[in-house]
Amino acid sequence: MFGWIRGWHGRHWRERSKAERVELQSVLTWYLTTWFFTLSWLALPLVGAVGRRPLPLALGGLLLLGGALSCVQANRLTRPALDHYLGRTELPSRALRPSAVLLALELALILALAARGGTDPVAIRLFIGAVLLPFGLLYGLVVPVPVFLRRSLVLSAVLMAVFAWTAPDLAGILTVGMLTAFGTLFSLLAGRCGAWTLSVLWEAERAREVEARLAVAEERLRFGRDLHDVMGRNLAVIALKSELAVQLARRGRADAVEQMIEVQRIAQESQREVRDVVRGYREADLGAELAGAQGVLRAAGIACEVHGDAGALPAEVQSALGWVVRESTTNVLRHGAAERCSVALRRTEGSVVLTVENDGARPDAPPDPQRDDTDRGREDRGRSDASQGEAGRDDAGRDDAGSGSGGSGVPGSRPGAGTAANSGGGTGSDGAGRGGSGLVGLRERLLRVDGTLQAGFVGTGGYRVVAQVPLSGKSAVKEVTS
């Protein structure tokens, strides 16, 4: 039994998003609600209060069968009715006709039991409330609330009039009206409010997706704008000075050489500025990454605590640890079913330690094919950039390297650069090999600042990533607090 439950949990629960889990929980609750009221308000009173004569027993048996069929029909139509309310599909108008016919037959059987005196009058009132719930749960999802309330009021009046004919008792008539109102209103609240909550939840889910896409588009626009600002002016100056050099060369004047030297200088400056833009685009700011990780995880329903302030750390250390936070946050979201995550940044003797720990980790989680394809694409782009022989990331190293042969012919450039050890960025787009591919890419980034990375499962369902980067100067143990 427990093995079956664990198997169902693995197949139908872990694979769903949080919104899908809430929807599944709501649907299961509606399933159980119809059967609970049928059992407690119909089956139990019917067994205990029905008369032992043949006709009341037959009517009671038919009523019990009708109640079970109503619950089965309600369970079968709950998901289509919910999809209709959420705007996913259209529910045909004739879909509720079998449920309406069953409700009418059940009310007729209850009326016959009341007329024949086959059961207790209190049980008759409970039967009415029990048979109204399965149909009302569906009907409240497919019609507007004013229409539902008006028709419920008409039904209450009709039932009060009919049962007044069988038992002209004022208290009994009022009880019939009250239980009819309770059954209809409870089914409306149980179904409609739950469906409205799901619609708000899905709307928020779609809004988060749109926000993520807009953030990506905005970043692309910013990157393109920066490149335009850097290259537009310099290319215009290069074109102008090249044209001037051509005119001077045609006239045999030595000033043409000076103009081409100026063009060469501007080209080198443009190269450095483009690399600065790309480096700024790829480097991660630790403070921004900590705040972003906390916001993203909380938006995903994961309790996240962040302790630490990166303001006093060197830029290179912040960039390396920022990528650790970003990759760890991605792993928490995409692998496992975490409910809690903690991020701690602290200084020890001569080093800074970043610890990211979460629960809900699954050692047997399957690999993500899309992520693997992305990493392979990054590696291919890294190899392509490496083969183009562009200069390394250190501008000072370029300036000191001399004119060199086999490159672009520009003094100060270094040909053939682009290995994983000396390329910049590390996301895999400007370095060869496996730069930027999960934990391997993080270790390469930390290696550039003499850092180390440890990652693995801890306890039951826990996962911990620990990155340590040495610092110079500080020897006292100091906790970095926010």
Side-chain angles (χ1 to χ4, degrees):
M1 180 64 180
F2 290 103
W4 179 86
I5 294 177
R6 285 194 297 268
W8 182 91
H9 183 270
R11 292 190 304 271
H12 301 285
W13 187 259
R14 287 183 177 179
E15 297 176 356
R16 298 174 183 266
S17 66
K18 284 184 169 56
E20 290 174 337
R21 293 177 185 178
V22 173
E23 180 174 331
L24 178 61
Q25 181 182 2
S26 301
V27 171
L28 293 177
T29 301
W30 290 330
Y31 288 167
L32 296 176
T33 299
T34 55
W35 287 101
F36 173 78
F37 273 89
T38 300
L39 178 64
S40 59
W41 282 29
L42 181 62
L44 294 180
L46 190 61
V47 172
V50 71
R52 301 306 178 197
R53 301 187 304 273
L55 183 58
L57 286 176
L59 293 175
L62 291 175
L63 181 58
L64 188 60
L65 177 62
L69 291 177
S70 295
C71 290
V72 172
Q73 184 70 6
N75 290 167
R76 188 179 70 85
L77 293 177
T78 296
R79 176 68 75 173
L82 177 62
D83 292 339
H84 173 84
Y85 178 84
L86 296 177
R88 298 169 180 168
T89 58
E90 277 296 325
L91 186 68
S93 58
R94 63 180 181 277
L96 295 183
R97 290 177 184 174
S99 298
V101 171
L102 286 173
L103 175 62
L105 291 176
E106 289 172 318
L107 291 175
L109 291 172
I110 295 173
L111 180 61
L113 279 173
R116 293 293 181 176
T119 187
D120 184 78
V122 176
I124 293 293
R125 277 64 172 177
L126 293 177
F127 297 163
I128 295 174
V131 300
L132 287 175
L133 182 65
F135 179 78
L137 191 65
L138 301 175
Y139 197 62
L141 294 177
V142 299
V143 299
V145 174
V147 174
F148 183 91
L149 293 177
R150 285 198 301 268
R151 294 178 180 177
S152 298
L153 184 61
V154 172
L155 178 63
S156 299
V158 171
L159 290 179
M160 290 173 66
V162 170
F163 281 93
W165 171 73
T166 60
D169 178 27
L170 181 59
I173 295 172
L174 293 177
T175 304
V176 169
M178 291 175 59
L179 286 176
T180 303
F182 172 80
T184 55
L185 291 177
F186 181 81
S187 60
L188 177 65
L189 293 175
R192 194 84 178 193
C193 291
W196 177 79
T197 302
L198 288 176
S199 68
V200 173
L201 179 63
W202 280 114
E203 187 67 25
E205 191 78 9
R206 288 189 292 269
R208 281 195 292 268
E209 294 177 358
V210 171
E211 183 180 2
R213 288 196 296 267
L214 289 176
V216 172
E218 182 179 357
E219 185 64 14
R220 287 174 178 171
L221 289 175
R222 184 198 69 80
F223 187 59
R225 184 172 59 249
D226 290 347
L227 282 179
H228 175 271
D229 293 342
V230 168
M231 297 300 297
R233 175 182 60 84
N234 291 348
L235 288 177
V237 174
I238 289 174
L240 180 63
K241 288 188 173 292
S242 298
E243 183 179 358
L244 178 59
V246 170
Q247 297 298 330
L248 293 175
R250 286 176 179 175
R251 298 175 185 177
R253 296 181 56 177
D255 295 342
V257 177
E258 296 180 1
Q259 294 299 325
M260 289 309 299
I261 293 175
E262 183 67 13
V263 168
Q264 188 182 56
R265 186 192 64 79
I266 296 174
Q268 287 180 325
E269 181 181 354
S270 299
Q271 187 182 34
R272 284 194 296 269
E273 290 179 351
V274 169
R275 291 179 186 276
D276 289 340
V277 171
V278 174
R279 186 180 298 114
Y281 179 73
R282 289 173 181 161
E283 285 184 352
D285 179 77
L286 182 55
E289 292 298 331
L290 289 173
Q294 188 175 33
V296 168
L297 292 177
R298 286 182 176 177
I302 301 173
C304 180
E305 298 180 357
V306 176
H307 305 280
D309 185 8
L313 297 176
E316 295 82 2
V317 175
Q318 288 198 39
S319 178
L321 295 180
W323 281 103
V324 176
V325 174
R326 180 180 297 183
E327 181 68 23
S328 300
T329 303
T330 302
N331 290 337
V332 171
L333 291 173
R334 299 185 63 177
H335 307 294
E339 297 181 356
R340 181 192 60 81
C341 179
S342 63
V343 183
L345 181 67
R346 63 188 180 88
R347 283 189 178 181
T348 60
E349 185 175 358
S351 64
V352 59
V353 179
L354 174 69
T355 304
V356 182
E357 184 172 353
N358 64 277
D359 60 358
R362 291 181 290 163
D364 57 344
D368 191 336
Q370 181 178 0
R371 185 174 179 85
D372 293 341
D373 293 341
T374 302
D375 291 338
R376 284 195 294 269
R378 288 175 176 172
E379 294 174 13
D380 293 340
R381 290 196 299 271
R383 297 187 185 99
S384 175
D385 289 345
S387 65
Q388 292 175 5
E390 62 178 359
R393 63 186 178 93
D394 193 299
D395 295 339
R398 277 200 314 273
D399 295 337
D400 295 339
S403 59
S405 61
S408 60
V410 178
S413 64
R414 188 171 62 237
T419 63
N422 58 16
S423 62
T427 61
S429 59
D430 61 345
R434 298 169 296 176
S437 179
L439 297 177
V440 176
L442 293 181
R443 288 190 174 94
E444 292 179 359
R445 290 180 182 277
L446 291 171
L447 187 61
R448 298 190 184 105
V449 290
D450 297 329
T452 59
L453 180 71
Q454 296 178 353
F457 295 94
V458 292
T460 304
Y463 195 82
R464 180 185 299 160
V465 177
V466 179
Q468 185 172 5
V469 178
L471 296 174
S472 59
K474 304 293 184 179
S475 58
V477 178
K478 177 182 178 183
E479 181 76 14
V480 183
T481 58
S482 59

